Amino acid sequence: MSTATRTKGRVNIETNVRDIYESLSKGSNPLSTPFRTMKDVFVLAACIGFEKGIRRPLEGGKHQPFHYAQLSEPVDIPLLKAIAIATTDDITTLADLDEVVAIAEEFANEGINDIRQYVLEHPGEPLWNLVEAIR
């Protein structure tokens, strides 16, 4: 994805999954909203998509829920860069945060559906469903 298609360093998700991100991160009850930010949901979704080995390009409407600056330098950025280099086998990818994030967006686009299935669609509290899914 070229930098020209980005809006000043914002991360893209499909509009039709925005409700998943919001339901897992908006609220004060950690049992029903186990993530503090939509960024945290995104990073987990990217990891799940990568684990599955499935990149799904974003189609249709896009929503930009957060800026790159919200990604943690000591944790999130190295994790997303590791995913990018494992995907491309090209270390020059590491120098291009737009490309790193574009790769993560496609993996997250796949992984968010697993989060919906295992965390939101199972009976019980989302936090405990998340814990069980991780086990």
Side-chain angles (χ1 to χ4, degrees):
M1 177 177 284
S2 74
T3 55
T5 61
R6 300 208 158 268
T7 305
K8 297 186 181 183
R10 297 199 64 87
V11 175
N12 294 297
I13 62 172
E14 286 185 354
T15 302
N16 66 347
V17 297
R18 179 181 178 179
D19 62 319
I20 301 168
Y21 283 84
E22 288 179 348
S23 67
L24 291 169
S25 64
K26 304 272 184 198
S28 59
N29 181 354
L31 292 174
S32 58
T33 55
F35 295 91
R36 294 183 73 188
T37 67
M38 292 172 78
K39 180 267 307 178
D40 297 325
V41 179
F42 174 83
V43 171
L44 177 62
C47 289
I48 291 170
F50 176 73
E51 173 73 18
K52 291 175 66 177
I54 300 173
R55 289 173 68 178
R56 194 160 51 86
L58 280 70
E59 298 175 349
K62 293 181 181 120
H63 176 69
Q64 298 175 325
F66 62 92
H67 192 275
Y68 293 5
Q70 287 179 261
L71 294 168
S72 162
E73 285 287 336
V75 178
D76 300 332
I77 298 289
L79 181 60
L80 297 181
K81 284 184 173 185
I83 289 171
I85 197 167
T87 301
T88 64
D89 289 325
D90 181 3
I91 62 169
T92 62
T93 303
L94 300 178
D96 186 352
L97 189 56
D98 283 325
E99 181 64 18
V100 168
V101 170
I103 291 167
E105 288 171 349
E106 291 182 358
F107 280 124
N109 199 36
E110 175 63 30
I112 195 66
N113 293 309
D114 287 5
I115 293 173
R116 176 193 345 233
Q117 180 183 0
Y118 293 112
V119 178
L120 294 177
E121 293 179 353
H122 274 126
E125 296 288 351
L127 175 63
W128 296 115
N129 291 344
L130 177 63
V131 169
E132 193 58 36
I134 292 171
R135 284 187 196 169

